[in-house]
Amino acid sequence: MKKSFQYILLSLALLTVVACDKGFDDLNINQTAATSINPVFSLNNAVIAASFVSGTVQNEIGIVQQMVSPNSGVLTGANFNQDNRDGTQQNWQRYYRGVIRFTADVINATKDQPTRSNLYNMARIWQANAFIVVTDSYGDVPYTEAGKGYIAQVLLPKYDAQQAVYAAIIKELTEATAALDAAKTVESADVLYGGNITQWKKLGNSLLLRAGMRLTKVDPALAQATVQKAVQGPLLDANADNCVIRHDANYVNGIGQMLNSTEANNFYLAAPFVNQLKSTADPRLSAIAVRYVGAKSGPEQTAARAKTDAASQIGMPFGFDNSTITVQAAKDGLASFYDYTQADRTRVVKNTAPMFLVTAAQTQLLLAEAIQRGWATGTIAQVFQRGIRLHMEQMALYDAKSAIATADIDTYLAANAFDPSKALEQINTQYWIASFLNGPEAFANFRRSGFPKLSPNPFPGKAIKGNFINRLTYPNSEISVNKTNVDQAIARQGADDLDTKVWWDK
């Protein structure tokens, strides 16, 4: 009887354990946590991560002489022709950790889902854009193994030669753009175009045009073939089509955030940029610039001193630091270096300003060059003027107070007519202006085209052998963890310094 009672207790205990164990898994599952994510939201993360950060001001925007600071320390870069890897690493880290990582996830999640084919191809286009940015800036970069840390546990990706990267970019853009189909699932949650297939096709073709034109020096045959593919489809041709990252009080413009906080009084519009706009009576100067007349310090840069008219603007010259610029400011008739012209922090570089990555204005100007080269058809003067008009009209999208009147646009176009004998210089100088605040693109096209004709920065303490910085250096963080692959890239490409040219810039 005693044994029977023990067996009964043991059975009850086992039943209790089984019952407890049966509910244990359910009790330890968070009923409100997501177990999967719609990949369109990962694409949205990739889109917003593509907005450029503050390091582009001291590097790419400085290299093309649109903005400059007389200060050293963390702001050292193109202003002194010196290497500051804290700045040069910013877009690398942002694009690999954000844009490329998220697009790789989307591509992996949708590649075998026919119902999400549009999303799959949108991610391919956006990833191609990201690789254009990083390879143009640094040269040889991780491509085939990039973004696969989670997917395939590739933690130390190899570097691909830029020539191979460009071949892959062209392939991806060609295939993905052609495969977009408005009859298939519309990804309406897409933050860039709301799933509008026509606009995504325009973006894909415009990026293909950009990629093709990048190769004009190194491989004219491939450049021509790529451009001719691109112009067969629709291109960005209206500001409503612009590839733009929008910002608000919660998600702010990275450049605006810097220029409205710690470095508000430290960056100025550069003399070459201001003088170009001023000498041609370009109405964009008034849309972009502000000068705090008579300011002797940062606190004196007040609204009461603000002048936005073109006649008042004086750009800061290159070649000076924060001690020697004081003497130069006096020579220029200014109260101090705080009296030079800045990008207007209440308009074009406010915290909520949009960030334009690929625009109709840029695309039409590249199309004008393609026509000039005989790679596309059209009336070159009309396309050239359309590109300028589109950029001037784009000013209103920064802020209503930056809007340019149609009559002022017409006056400028009449006074600055297209000159066939100066076609490439005119087109690419306008591209430089149209790429203001898009440092990576302005830097790439300046190297590719040789325009505008800028004088070298005369600062005496430069760390380059040539006249201009040719590329950005690899991040120290990358060298410290992926040195073997970085060293292989350096052995193939050339020294990891500011003088080495990328493949297409030979």
Side-chain angles (χ1 to χ4, degrees):
M1 182 67 180
K2 188 175 181 180
K3 285 187 176 181
S4 297
F5 183 70
Q6 289 175 339
Y7 289 145
I8 291 170
L9 288 177
L10 180 59
S11 297
L12 287 171
L14 289 171
L15 287 171
T16 301
V17 170
V18 171
C20 290
D21 185 61
K22 184 175 181 181
F24 186 77
D25 289 341
D26 292 335
L27 287 172
N28 283 276
I29 293 175
N30 185 337
Q31 300 298 318
T32 61
T35 56
S36 64
I37 185 171
N38 187 333
V40 72
F41 299 129
S42 292
L43 177 61
N44 288 344
N45 278 335
V47 169
I48 63 175
S51 186
F52 299 127
V53 286
S54 59
T56 60
V57 178
Q58 73 198 72
N59 290 296
E60 296 99 312
I61 294 175
I63 295 168
V64 299
Q65 299 186 4
Q66 292 178 330
M67 295 178 72
V68 64
S69 173
N71 296 321
S72 56
V74 297
L75 301 186
T76 296
N79 53 348
F80 303 141
N81 274 330
Q82 294 176 4
D83 189 7
N84 180 349
R85 299 198 183 206
D86 287 338
T88 60
Q89 71 179 352
Q90 290 186 21
N91 271 339
W92 176 287
Q93 293 178 343
R94 188 171 180 85
Y95 269 63
Y96 273 107
R97 295 175 183 177
V99 187
I100 293 166
R101 168 195 165 198
F102 285 121
T103 51
D105 287 345
V106 177
I107 291 168
N108 183 63
T110 58
K111 62 183 180 181
D112 297 320
Q113 293 187 37
T115 59
R116 307 302 293 274
S117 64
N118 281 332
L119 181 58
Y120 169 66
N121 289 301
M122 288 153 56
R124 293 170 73 190
I125 290 170
W126 198 245
Q127 187 176 85
N129 176 60
F131 279 117
I132 290 174
V133 172
V134 295
T135 191
D136 286 349
S137 297
Y138 302 95
D140 292 7
V141 295
Y143 179 84
T144 54
E145 295 183 349
K148 295 183 179 179
Y150 175 75
I151 297 168
Q153 291 73 56
V154 179
L155 303 179
L156 302 174
K158 70 176 184 180
Y159 282 53
D160 296 88
Q162 188 179 53
Q163 183 174 4
V165 174
Y166 254 90
I169 287 170
I170 291 168
K171 176 179 179 292
E172 285 294 286
L173 288 172
T174 302
E175 293 180 357
T177 304
L180 290 169
D181 187 347
K184 295 183 178 179
T185 303
V186 174
E187 301 290 345
S188 58
D190 151 41
V191 74
L192 187 60
Y193 290 126
N196 186 306
I197 294 302
T198 299
Q199 289 181 309
W200 271 102
K201 279 185 173 288
K202 287 184 176 184
L203 176 61
N205 287 321
S206 298
L207 285 170
L208 188 62
L209 172 61
R210 179 178 286 189
M213 293 302 290
R214 204 76 91 225
L215 308 183
T216 51
K217 285 197 296 188
V218 70
D219 192 339
L222 179 57
Q224 179 178 354
T226 303
V227 168
Q228 288 175 334
K229 285 180 188 176
V231 299
Q232 288 174 6
L235 299 170
L236 299 176
D237 58 4
N239 282 321
D241 297 328
N242 285 342
C243 174
V244 54
I245 311 302
R246 296 168 180 83
H247 301 95
D248 58 24
N250 296 312
Y251 178 66
V252 298
N253 182 307
I255 292 175
Q257 183 180 38
M258 179 187 72
L259 296 181
N260 281 280
S261 56
T262 56
E263 311 304 339
N265 316 122
N266 292 328
F267 278 99
Y268 295 81
L269 287 184
F273 188 58
V274 172
N275 293 343
Q276 169 65 35
L277 299 178
K278 202 169 182 178
S279 66
T280 57
D282 194 320
R284 285 171 287 194
L285 182 57
S286 296
I288 291 169
V290 64
R291 180 174 156 233
Y292 297 99
V293 178
K296 299 182 186 66
S297 65
E300 288 192 10
Q301 291 181 339
T302 62
R305 296 179 181 274
K307 300 291 184 183
T308 60
D309 62 292
S312 297
Q313 307 311 316
I314 302 174
M316 179 179 284
F318 276 82
F320 302 93
D321 59 20
N322 60 0
S323 59
T324 58
I325 192 62
T326 303
V327 175
Q328 182 60 37
K331 289 181 180 178
D332 289 335
L334 304 181
S336 72
F337 77 76
Y338 297 99
D339 199 357
Y340 282 110
T341 293
Q342 292 184 302
D344 196 333
R345 288 172 267 147
T346 69
R347 296 182 295 162
V348 294
V349 289
K350 60 186 178 182
N351 280 341
T352 56
M355 182 77 70
F356 294 93
L357 302 186
V358 190
T359 67
Q362 292 170 320
T363 301
Q364 294 302 306
L365 289 167
L366 287 181
L367 177 60
E369 181 174 341
I371 295 170
Q372 167 68 20
R373 292 177 179 275
W375 299 348
T377 59
T379 303
I380 186 170
Q382 291 179 357
V383 177
F384 171 72
Q385 290 197 343
R386 185 189 307 146
I388 298 171
R389 183 180 296 276
L390 283 165
H391 188 245
M392 290 188 176
E393 292 173 346
Q394 182 184 312
M395 291 295 100
L397 303 179
Y398 285 106
D399 189 277
K401 293 179 182 178
S402 287
I404 300 174
T406 300
D408 292 337
I409 298 175
D410 293 341
T411 298
Y412 175 85
L413 292 176
N416 296 273
F418 178 71
D419 182 350
S421 69
K422 299 178 180 178
L424 292 180
E425 180 176 3
Q426 281 189 320
I427 291 167
N428 287 288
T429 298
Q430 287 295 332
Y431 197 90
W432 174 62
I433 300 169
S435 298
F436 178 62
L437 296 175
N438 184 337
E441 183 58 23
F443 178 38
N445 199 67
F446 170 62
R447 288 173 289 161
R448 194 272 305 183
S449 70
F451 297 111
K453 293 179 178 178
L454 300 173
S455 298
N457 176 358
F459 187 76
K462 70 177 184 178
I464 60 173
K465 300 180 181 69
N467 290 326
F468 292 94
I469 292 171
N470 291 320
R471 66 179 282 273
L472 303 187
T473 51
Y474 294 127
N476 286 333
S477 58
E478 178 71 5
I479 295 170
S480 67
V481 299
N482 197 15
K483 189 175 186 303
T484 298
N485 288 316
V486 173
D487 286 346
Q488 289 177 359
I490 293 170
R492 179 174 58 237
Q493 176 173 262
D496 183 28
D497 59 28
L498 304 175
D499 284 297
T500 295
K501 292 186 175 184
V502 301
W503 164 72
W504 53 252
D505 189 27
K506 304 305 183 188

